[in-house]
Amino acid sequence: MDRGVTVMYGRTGYLGKDTEICLSIVSTRELAKAERLVHQIDPEAFIIVSRVSEVKGRGFTEQKKYL
């Protein structure tokens, strides 16, 4: 999938284990494919799906031009 990913480093709350957190924005149409790919890589992956009000950047919206 032609999407960027931001990798953050965190620690789990219960066990205190260090972990990597991957953040990516995908369109609604791409969600099912993204979920399949994630679970092929890590069957126990924790995924949060949330609606956003606006996303700006390559692949989502064109830059607005103000005159």
Side-chain angles (χ1 to χ4, degrees):
M1 298 184 68
D2 187 25
R3 292 286 170 238
V5 175
T6 298
V7 178
M8 299 177 280
Y9 299 95
R11 181 171 298 131
T12 63
Y14 184 71
L15 296 176
K17 289 183 167 183
D18 290 335
T19 187
E20 291 181 343
I21 301 164
C22 298
L23 173 67
S24 187
I25 305 294
V26 298
S27 69
T28 305
R29 289 175 293 168
E30 297 172 313
L31 181 57
K33 181 178 180 181
E35 288 179 339
R36 277 194 306 273
L37 289 170
V38 167
H39 284 296
Q40 284 175 2
I41 295 167
D42 181 358
E44 297 181 6
F46 183 82
I47 298 174
I48 298 173
V49 177
S50 179
R51 293 189 186 273
V52 296
S53 60
E54 188 173 1
V55 178
K56 293 183 180 180
R58 184 177 62 85
F60 289 95
T61 61
E62 293 294 321
Q63 186 71 15
K64 292 181 182 176
K65 295 180 182 175
Y66 298 97
L67 302 175

